[in-house]
């Protein structure tokens, strides 16, 4: 089994597509007015409109802008540099400026326009790969 994708359900897909393109500097492919994907070398961030919920059993399956438990994380080369580039754009969304965590990552934490937590991080201690 492999984790390949996380999907955000949103009432405003265009707003989130523009936001994540700005944050990541990567293009997002919008396949339909209701579905888009940001593909990285390790995983995909999918963005679906609330209209896609009909294919999963109806609107009660998920609610847009209600996440309070997951953090979407992006490994970056230099979180301080990314913060300098994005600081003005992210100003209304910042939760925590780059901070070194006890587990050895320097993390920049912010919310996207729907309130989902996003973490850009750079390991500052050696990474142990299994």
């Amino acid at each position: 089994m492999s984790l390949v994708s996380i999907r955000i359900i949103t009432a405003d897909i265009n707003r989130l597509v523009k936001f994540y393109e700005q944050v990541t500097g990567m293009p997002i492919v919008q396949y339909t007015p209701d579905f888009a994907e940001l593909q990285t070398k390790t995983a995909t961030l999918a963005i679906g409109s609330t209209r896609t919920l009909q294919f999963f059993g109806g609107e009660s399956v998920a609610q847009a802008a209600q996440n309070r438990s997951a953090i979407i994380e992006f490994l970056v080369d230099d979180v301080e540099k990314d913060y300098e580039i994005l600081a003005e754009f992210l100003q209304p969304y910042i939760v925590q400026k780059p901070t070194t965590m006890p587990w050895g990552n320097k993390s920049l934490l912010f919310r996207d326009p729907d309130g989902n937590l996003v973490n850009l991080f750079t390991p500052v201690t050696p990474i142990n790969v299994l």
Side-chain angles (χ1 to χ4, degrees):
M1 185 181 301
S2 297
L3 177 63
V4 296
S5 177
I6 298 291
R7 183 177 312 194
I8 300 171
I9 298 297
T10 183
D12 191 341
I13 191 169
N14 293 324
R15 178 178 65 173
L16 280 193
V17 164
K18 290 176 187 172
F19 180 85
Y20 281 99
E21 282 183 328
Q22 178 74 31
V23 167
T24 65
M26 300 171 65
I28 293 179
V29 178
Q30 191 158 353
Y31 297 100
T32 73
D34 293 313
F35 187 76
E37 288 183 331
L38 168 65
Q39 296 180 349
T40 73
K41 61 184 175 185
T42 56
T44 298
L45 177 64
I47 303 171
S49 80
T50 52
R51 290 183 294 273
T52 64
L53 294 174
Q54 66 184 318
F55 301 107
F56 296 105
E59 291 183 15
S60 64
V61 172
Q63 295 180 337
Q66 297 298 311
N67 174 33
R68 291 291 182 219
S69 62
I71 302 174
I72 301 163
E73 297 189 299
F74 292 93
L75 174 65
V76 298
D77 290 333
D78 184 343
V79 73
E80 291 284 355
K81 181 178 177 185
D82 287 343
Y83 176 68
E84 288 175 20
I85 293 168
L86 294 168
E88 186 175 331
F89 175 74
L90 289 177
Q91 189 56 44
Y93 307 105
I94 296 285
V95 172
Q96 180 175 281
K97 293 179 181 180
T99 302
T100 302
M101 298 294 155
W103 48 89
N105 292 338
K106 185 168 275 194
S107 296
L108 166 61
L109 193 63
F110 55 92
R111 293 193 183 278
D112 72 14
D114 276 7
N116 299 298
L117 278 172
V118 180
N119 181 29
L120 303 186
F121 74 95
T122 303
V124 292
T125 58
I127 299 175
N128 292 324
V129 179
L130 298 177

